[in-house]
Every structure is written in C-alpha cells, then in structure tokens.
Amino acid sequence: MIKIELKSFDTDLANPSAEYNAASVLKDKLEEDLSHYPDAKGTIYIQTNIRIFGQKRDDIDILIMGFLDNYKIKNVRTKNCGEVDELNIKSFICNVELKAHPAEKVKRQGTSYIVYYKGVPSDASEQCREAKFSLRNYLIDQLSIKTFISDILWFKGLSKQDLRCMRGNS
C-alpha cells in the first residue's frame, strides 16, 4: 500500500489555503487511483505553501515527492522512449504551480499561458518553470542533491473544454 501524507506550511492553519484545498483533492484522487496497485508500497508526500529562501521564486504552491517500491505501470507512452511495456517508478519530485483564474483571465501565447492580476499580464508558465528551478537550486545548495523535477501548471479554474479551446482543439 502506498501511504500519502499531506502537510501545509501555511501560517494560518485555521483557514486552509487554496493550495492546501487543491492538494487535499489531489490526495483523494491519488488514493483512489493507487488503490489499483495493491502490491505497490511507499510514501508520497504532498506539501503546500513552502517558502524557499535565497531563490528567484521563493514560493512553492504544491510539492509532491514519492518514494515507491513495486509501482509498475504497463503500456506507457513516454516523451523520450515512446511506448514502453512497463515503467517502474522508484521516486519522483514534482512542483505544482496552482492557478484559480477563470477562462477569461487566461490566454495562451505560443507555449506559454498568461494570467491576469488586476488587468496586468503575468506568464504563469514562466512562474512554474522558475519555481521548479528555484526548488532544484535550493536542493543543490542546501542538501547537495541534484535531481530531475517535473513541473505542472494546474489551472483549477479551467475546464477541459476551456483548455481545448485555448490549444485550438475545440
């Protein structure tokens, strides 16, 4: 069984943050999906509202880390290797940048997603990349750990149809 632990570093625990609420939904979904792998073992840690000092981007909305045994996924399409019969996942680290903007406040420009704060555009894709590299640099600086970190830009305020329209796949 894979255990999932959720922790917030938010200072106001009486009023859970949007990041914590999203992470709680993610935890429930992961528990449901991982129940199909009864032989897999390990722990997944989901942490929210992390501050890392001394980096360009000092806030991590959601951090997911997993250390797993016997977690094998069959017939997976990968970016670098194409179709693989079996993928054995031992560990992972993923940075999640959470955005709650409605569709009218999100635009796609090339491969970037632009969000608007009080009418001012901000590149959410770049924010996500910067957070990933800030986290990576922090791990190298503080723990001498060089690792690959995946990054996810999670638009909680958009539907699948909204995303398809932005990508031109409506």
Side-chain angles (χ1 to χ4, degrees):
M1 180 175 148
I2 297 175
K3 180 179 169 187
I4 302 175
E5 295 183 11
L6 175 59
K7 177 177 175 64
S8 177
F9 287 93
D10 197 0
T11 54
D12 184 6
L13 298 178
N15 298 307
S17 66
E19 293 83 2
Y20 182 84
N21 290 335
S24 183
V25 169
L26 176 64
K27 178 182 184 279
D28 292 344
K29 180 66 173 145
L30 282 172
E31 286 174 338
E32 179 184 325
D33 290 350
L34 292 171
S35 70
H36 300 288
Y37 298 89
D39 296 332
K41 305 214 179 323
T43 306
I44 295 174
Y45 302 93
I46 303 173
Q47 300 177 336
T48 66
N49 307 96
I50 298 171
R51 294 281 176 229
I52 51 175
F53 299 100
Q55 301 298 322
K56 180 174 185 176
R57 176 108 10 221
D58 69 352
D59 67 311
I60 303 296
D61 291 346
I62 302 172
L63 174 66
I64 309 166
M65 300 180 292
F67 304 94
L68 310 171
D69 287 315
N70 205 31
Y71 182 63
K72 298 173 184 171
I73 304 173
K74 306 280 185 189
N75 303 316
V76 177
R77 176 170 298 285
T78 67
K79 183 177 180 178
N80 296 327
C81 300
E83 185 83 23
V84 293
D85 294 332
E86 184 175 273
L87 184 63
N88 188 6
I89 299 174
K90 300 256 182 209
S91 64
F92 64 91
I93 300 177
C94 183
N95 165 66
V96 179
E97 182 74 22
L98 182 66
K99 299 296 177 198
H101 296 71
E104 62 271 8
K105 293 194 177 191
V106 181
K107 303 289 181 246
R108 184 166 178 232
Q109 291 180 352
T111 58
S112 292
Y113 288 89
I114 309 301
V115 296
Y116 291 84
Y117 297 98
K118 297 181 182 177
V120 178
S122 177
D123 188 335
S125 301
E126 184 62 21
Q127 287 178 336
C128 189
R129 275 189 297 279
E130 286 175 354
K132 172 178 73 172
F133 285 108
S134 290
L135 178 59
R136 184 176 187 278
N137 292 340
Y138 183 82
L139 292 173
I140 291 169
D141 293 348
Q142 300 298 315
L143 303 173
S144 299
I145 296 173
K146 291 183 180 179
T147 187
F148 176 82
I149 300 173
S150 297
D151 56 334
I152 296 173
L153 181 52
W154 183 0
F155 286 107
K156 226 171 135 30
L158 302 183
S159 67
K160 287 181 183 180
Q161 182 60 29
D162 292 333
L163 286 170
R164 279 194 286 276
C165 287
M166 285 181 198
R167 293 180 182 147
N169 300 335
S170 52

